[in-house]
Amino acid sequence: MLIVLTGIDGSGKTTAAQATVAAAHRAGKKALLLRNYAGRRRMSLLGAQFGIQLHPRLADAVETAIRTANVVVSHARAHRHPGLVIMDRHLHCQLALRQARGLPRGRLLPFLLTKFPQPDVVLHLVIDPEQAHRRVLARGTDTETLEELTSLRAAYRSLPEYAHFTELAASGTPEEVLSELALAIADAGRRQC
């Protein structure tokens, strides 16, 4: 089974993915976590350190290349894995970032989405941007403004693919989100049969 997690920064994607895989392992099941990062956090930290800000199109080109390479490798690994696979982020995330930045969708990412194996479910973690912003500030590893998070939320919702996402409330405790995630995965498994 292949599950993809999406959501704005601070929605808890990585925490939920790690907890889900750990719970599966504790239950004696095979589970694999694959991260499809774009290097955005690292680029923003380096940019802040050296006082450099990349042009939005250049930043997108670098992020798209990194994320696409990660997704290709992740799908190759997922194909060989006999159990549950959780992908933390996917190409949908890059499309949402493009939308939020006012950049065109382009043709490559939508084309690739039709060529990769389709996930059993894309779970979109829904959270209020203000709460997500507090979480981002609390972790202290990157910076996102409330305006950026609000714009990204709207961008996700405007994606044509969003109509096929399953929304999952992410404002609760990690335990509550994990419980909801487990139910959504079980439901996807029943639909698969």
Side-chain angles (χ1 to χ4, degrees):
M1 178 177 290
L2 174 59
I3 307 297
V4 168
L5 298 181
T6 66
I8 65 174
D9 292 349
S11 63
K13 296 178 297 295
T14 301
T15 301
Q18 290 170 336
T20 301
V21 169
H25 289 163
R26 283 192 302 276
K29 298 177 181 174
K30 294 181 185 222
L32 178 65
L33 171 57
L34 300 170
R35 296 181 175 107
N36 296 316
Y37 295 121
R40 194 161 63 98
R41 182 181 301 172
R42 180 162 289 158
M43 284 195 313
S44 67
L45 291 173
L46 287 173
Q49 182 179 356
F50 295 107
I52 300 169
Q53 185 171 6
L54 294 179
H55 185 277
R57 285 192 181 271
L58 178 57
D60 175 70
V62 172
E63 293 168 6
T64 297
I66 293 169
R67 191 177 317 266
T68 301
N70 284 331
V71 169
V72 167
V73 170
S74 289
H75 275 286
R77 291 182 65 198
H79 180 72
R80 295 189 305 269
H81 186 73
L84 173 66
V85 175
I86 304 285
M87 286 196 187
D88 178 1
R89 299 172 179 84
H90 204 280
L91 297 181
H92 310 94
C93 302
Q94 201 62 37
L95 287 170
L97 282 169
R98 283 183 177 176
Q99 177 72 19
R101 293 171 175 160
L103 299 173
R105 280 173 61 87
R107 293 184 180 156
L108 177 64
L109 296 182
F111 171 76
L112 290 175
L113 279 173
T114 67
K115 297 303 174 189
F116 287 124
Q118 293 302 302
D120 293 289
V121 66
V122 177
L123 295 173
H124 185 76
L125 278 66
V126 177
I127 189 169
D128 181 76
E130 289 182 4
Q131 184 180 3
H133 188 243
R134 287 191 298 272
R135 288 180 179 180
V136 169
L137 293 176
R139 69 186 179 206
T141 58
D142 56 339
T143 57
E144 294 286 342
T145 67
L146 180 56
E147 293 76 22
E148 289 168 331
L149 294 172
T150 302
S151 178
L152 188 56
R153 178 181 65 175
Y156 268 113
R157 291 177 174 173
S158 74
L159 295 176
E161 297 85 1
Y162 192 81
H164 304 289
F165 290 8
T166 297
E167 290 185 343
L168 188 74
S171 58
T173 66
E175 294 77 19
E176 291 168 339
V177 174
L178 177 60
S179 177
E180 291 296 317
L181 186 54
L183 289 173
I185 291 171
D187 186 49
R190 284 191 293 275
R191 286 195 309 262
Q192 190 183 42
C193 295

